Amino acid sequence: MVEKKMAGVLLLLAMGLFTGCGNGKETAAGETTEIFGSWTISPAGIMRVDEHNYLQFYSRESGSKVYLCNQAGCSHSDKSCSAYVENLLTAFFYNDDLYLIQSDNTHTRIQRANRYGENRQLLGEAEIFPLFFSMQIFEGKLYFIGDKWDFEQDKSSQGLYAFDLNNGEIEKFPNVDTGYLISNVSNFLLTERYLYTQYTACDIDVNDYLDFNTGDLQGIEWDNIVYTPLLYRTDRQTGETELLLEEAGAELTLLEAEGESFVVRLGDSILRYEGKESADTLYTYSGDAAYWQVKSFGTGYLVSDLPRTSQFRILKDFKETGSFADPDGKVTSYYGAAGDALYFNGSIGNQGVLYSMEQDDFEAGNYEFHLLEID
């Protein structure tokens, strides 16, 4: 069985109301779903919450918007509407059910409903704030990085958690003792055999310099703070954990893994490690490494240094095969791919918007951005 999973932050819905294929980089079980933020992209369209807290679905095929409600005669104007939801962080479909993750910054609730938001059932609740830039559904559980406030120490800490989507049980994974004063989970990747966790660590606690009356940091020497990314791998069968990488002051991002081989962005390069000591350089970025981003888009990666420029470089097999740019300078980042389209975040004035690019056009070298009239 192939054991491959891409680290990333997009929501691919391949079940229930939405049908279609995933991004082609899932685990062998084909069950992995990745989640990111306010837009929920799928092969069929986009789900979002409007400014009045109602769930809407935008159909890519028809260009129409509908409320996620099946109540005859509903005016979608009060809390009786099944599309109404408060304090929503994100929503997704799984096994034909709609899951809602809600939070008031101190407590997080996960509810399950039918595909129209009806018959809601509280599955679980915890004093954790999910950092939804990194979530993943794997083997019937929602894995996420959560921020929990420690009232005794008057500080927060980040760790890896899992919600069981069947019974609502919450599992907390023990943090690795990195040996640093402060260390937080900043990224993770699950495969059938291994759990990869990335930590960001340092030996200075900024909370020690915080004036709680003003919210200002007093007397801190920023030049003395060195953040160190560390990458660990845990064998899910034996529970054994090993340190793979520790790179003080470097930019490190785990991109993908297969068996005991893994690929990372480190500094200005993309490297493949077959073991902890040997690495092959797959790609070297020519530009300002302080700004460049690498994100998967199905069959390759998009490299950019937004917001410094609006140019995207296309990597396939870790070789540049083309590039394109937003001529209007309104695209702010690549969001993700679903079905036959790529999606990009953008900004018009102070309003966040979403652009799409057809996969067929992309493959043919016709890089045209389409503003989606969702709002």
Side-chain angles (χ1 to χ4, degrees), residues 22-188:
N23 64 355
K25 295 182 178 179
E26 300 180 347
T27 57
E31 193 184 350
T32 297
T33 303
E34 297 174 28
I35 299 169
F36 182 66
S38 56
W39 309 104
T40 297
I41 62 175
S42 78
I46 300 156
M47 184 167 61
R48 66 180 290 271
V49 176
D50 69 11
E51 64 273 21
H52 302 296
N53 296 325
Y54 294 94
L55 279 168
Q56 290 182 330
F57 179 71
Y58 171 88
S59 170
R60 291 192 62 250
E61 182 176 0
S62 65
S64 63
K65 292 179 290 187
V66 296
Y67 287 99
L68 207 63
C69 173
N70 197 36
Q71 299 171 218
C74 182
S75 62
H76 318 301
S77 59
D78 56 43
K79 295 183 180 182
S80 66
C81 175
S82 61
Y84 184 84
V85 59
E86 293 180 319
N87 300 322
L88 187 71
L89 287 179
T90 193
F92 58 93
F93 285 91
Y94 180 73
N95 283 352
D96 209 28
D97 288 324
L98 174 65
Y99 289 82
L100 307 170
I101 301 178
Q102 301 159 275
S103 179
D104 59 4
N105 294 330
T106 58
H107 287 74
T108 295
R109 297 155 51 93
I110 182 166
Q111 294 193 84
R112 181 171 59 205
N114 66 15
R115 65 173 62 184
Y116 301 107
E118 302 166 323
N119 305 322
R120 297 183 188 179
Q121 172 192 3
L122 178 63
L123 281 183
E125 186 173 10
E127 292 182 354
I128 307 165
F129 183 76
L131 304 176
F132 55 85
F133 59 78
S134 189
M135 287 185 174
Q136 181 182 334
I137 294 176
F138 191 82
E139 297 178 344
K141 295 182 179 181
L142 173 67
Y143 291 82
F144 62 94
I145 297 174
D147 190 79
K148 184 175 178 62
W149 188 262
D150 187 326
F151 289 95
E152 292 185 358
Q153 299 188 36
D154 208 23
K155 64 179 67 175
S156 64
S157 63
Q158 292 175 198
L160 182 61
Y161 297 84
F163 264 125
D164 191 307
L165 296 178
N166 295 309
N167 58 32
E169 292 182 356
I170 301 172
E171 180 181 1
K172 169 69 168 70
F173 293 83
N175 283 2
V176 175
D177 183 1
T178 65
Y180 288 80
L181 178 63
I182 299 295
S183 59
N184 286 311
V185 179
S186 55
N187 191 16
F188 72 94

Side-chain angles (χ1 to χ4, degrees), residues 280-296:
D280 294 326
T281 300
L282 304 178
Y283 173 78
T284 300
Y285 176 73
S286 57
D288 190 340
Y291 289 90
W292 78 299
Q293 307 168 29
V294 187
K295 293 188 178 181
S296 64

Side-chain angles (χ1 to χ4, degrees), residues 39 41 46 58 60 342-344 353-358 369-375:
W39 309 104
I41 62 175
I46 300 156
Y58 171 88
R60 291 192 62 250
L342 284 71
Y343 295 90
F344 299 81
V353 295
L354 198 65
Y355 292 90
S356 69
M357 181 181 293
E358 298 301 312
F369 293 94
H370 302 280
L371 175 63
L372 299 180
E373 302 289 344
I374 297 176
D375 291 320

Side-chain angles (χ1 to χ4, degrees), residues 196-208:
Y196 291 82
T197 48
Q198 184 177 323
Y199 287 76
T200 301
C202 69
D203 280 326
I204 294 179
D205 186 355
V206 295
N207 289 288
D208 293 338

Side-chain angles (χ1 to χ4, degrees), residues 285 288-295 303-312 325-326 328-334 345-347:
Y285 176 73
D288 190 340
Y291 289 90
W292 78 299
Q293 307 168 29
V294 187
K295 293 188 178 181
V303 173
S304 64
D305 62 359
L306 281 75
R308 290 177 64 86
T309 72
S310 61
Q311 185 181 61
F312 292 86
D326 167 28
D328 299 324
K330 293 183 171 61
V331 171
T332 56
S333 66
Y334 170 63
N345 287 312
S347 177

